[in-house]
Each structure stands twice: as structure tokens, then as C-alpha cells.
Amino acid sequence: MHEATWSRADAEAILESSERRRRQDPERLWRRVGLKAGDIVLDVGAGSGFYAFPAADLVGPEGHVYAVDVSKDLVELVREKADSRKVRNLEPVLSTPRRIPLEDAAADVALLANVLHGIPPATVRETVRLLRPGGRLVDVDWQKRSTPEGPPVRHRLGVLEATRALRSYGLARVDAFDLGPSHYVLVFERPRPSHLPGRLISAE
Ligand SMILES: C[S@@+](CC[C@H](N)C(=O)[O-])C[C@H]1O[C@@H](n2cnc3c(N)ncnc32)[C@H](O)[C@@H]1O
């Protein structure tokens, strides 16, 4: 595991660079996964809100975005940005690696962007707990080859490794595509229960 808690300075220098926006287009991601008005989104390891703010635009006033992070600095940064832009449907949430303080099955869509290689299994379990049955988990990750920026290649997860890891939480892969020159995206669904618990119901 190689993920660290990020500071404001890291976020402003790396996560908010205009070069990054050209390479990983958040609006393109959300449109491709079919995010729609009214959806409830959970962005785990949201950082500066690079993906969370565009999601808040798309889900609109009927929807909601939880921008979850373990960094107090970044939760505060996202809160300040939301206040100054008057974004009312985006809620910063301070978590710990083992606990995201939200109710079960709260989200239609959960995002793990550039974090899966570094977060512990407990955080992934929490993410899955918060996804409703039939909801989708979107994993955006670095291609496992040298790219102009990003973590060392040895720390990255390839498509097969990430797929295997996320399937082990009971998720089913439903889509895969590239996002810009350096990232792939995997989309998983949390299966719905296939049947109700067996109990004979009288016709009377
Ligand atoms: C590489 S940044 C990615 C930020 C954002 N997803 C993006 O792509 O712009 C990783 C973020 O995950 C946060 N983080 C690290 N471990 C975490 C955990 N266990 N749970 C939630 N957030 C975590 C860090 O504080 C940091 O903000």
C-alpha cells in the first residue's frame, strides 16, 4: 500500500494542474458512465474534488455528491471551494481508512479515482457497503506502464489485477475503457439479491 494522506500543497500543485485536466477529463468520464440528474455519488479519496465538482454539476439539485477523504486539509479545501462556488449538493466527508461515516446503500455510483493501489481493503469494503444493490463502482486507474506523470509503475495495478481485486468484494465487471493517454476505467456493479429468502406464502 502506498497511498498517503495528501496536503493542500500537494493537491494544488498536482491534482489541480491544467495539464492534468487535459489528460483526465472528468466530464468525459461522468458522461461515459451515464451519470444523471438525481444520482447520489460517493467519491472516495476525493482529494481536491477534481471529479466531485463536475459530478455535482451533472447530478444537479436533486442529486448529491459525498466527497470523502482521510485528509482534514483536503476536506477543508473542498468545503471552502463548495462554499465560494455556492455548490450546495456537494458534501465533504472526513473518513478514516476503516470507516466512512455514512449510511449503508446510500450511493448510486461510487468512484475510486487514482486510489485503489494505495487504500487498504477496509476502505474498499466501506465503499461497497455504501453502494446500493444495482449501483456501480467506477475505478479510474493509471495504466501499468510509464506515463508522463503518476506513481512509480511498480505501485500501479494493471487491469487484470484491479479487476481481480474488485471482484473479490462481490462486484461484477460491466464495462472497461481508456480515459486519456494514461488511465483506464473499470466499471463494476453491486449485484442485486437474486431472490427473496425462501418462505412459502399462503394464497389466502
Ligand atoms: C492520488 S489522490 C487522488 C485524488 C482524487 N481522487 C483525484 O483523482 O483527483 C489520493 C487521495 O486519497 C486520499 N486517501 C488516501 N487514503 C485514503 C483512504 N483510506 N480513504 C479515503 N481517502 C484516502 C488522500 O488523502 C488523497 O486525497
Side-chain angles (χ1 to χ4, degrees), residues 17-184:
S17 82
S18 49
E19 179 58 22
R20 181 175 192 226
R21 209 162 286 277
R22 273 195 293 279
R23 292 177 174 277
Q24 290 176 61
D25 179 346
E27 281 83 10
R28 189 173 153 242
L29 171 79
W30 288 129
R31 291 191 190 286
R32 178 69 169 72
V33 301
L35 196 69
K36 57 184 192 313
D39 277 346
I40 309 296
V41 178
L42 177 76
D43 181 357
V44 176
S48 59
F50 181 80
Y51 286 97
F53 281 96
D57 269 357
L58 283 166
V59 301
E62 307 298 315
H64 201 79
V65 178
Y66 296 103
V68 175
D69 208 286
V70 291
S71 161
K72 274 192 189 144
D73 269 8
L74 294 189
V75 166
E76 197 44 45
L77 173 68
V78 169
R79 191 183 308 286
E80 285 169 20
K81 281 166 73 172
D83 286 349
S84 74
R85 297 179 192 180
K86 300 194 177 5
V87 177
R88 309 275 181 232
N89 60 348
L90 190 156
E91 183 178 338
V93 176
L94 182 63
S95 63
T96 70
R98 306 189 67 82
R99 177 81 186 151
I100 301 174
L102 295 170
E103 295 293 313
D104 288 4
D108 299 300
V109 178
L111 176 70
L112 293 174
N114 302 299
V115 293
L116 184 62
H117 63 276
I119 57 177
T123 305
V124 183
R125 271 198 299 278
E126 278 293 90
T127 306
V128 175
R129 174 181 71 79
L130 294 171
L131 196 57
R132 68 165 171 79
R136 281 165 303 147
L137 184 146
V138 178
D139 173 46
V140 176
D141 245 309
W142 296 93
Q143 301 280 7
K144 198 170 170 63
R145 58 174 153 72
S146 175
T147 53
E149 68 276 288
V153 174
R154 68 182 187 284
H155 293 177
R156 305 180 188 192
L157 296 175
V159 167
L160 289 179
E161 279 171 292
T163 300
R164 201 173 303 129
L166 289 168
R167 278 185 178 146
S168 75
Y169 296 88
L171 301 168
R173 199 175 106 177
V174 293
D175 200 6
F177 55 93
D178 286 345
L179 180 70
S182 309
H183 287 79
Y184 63 83

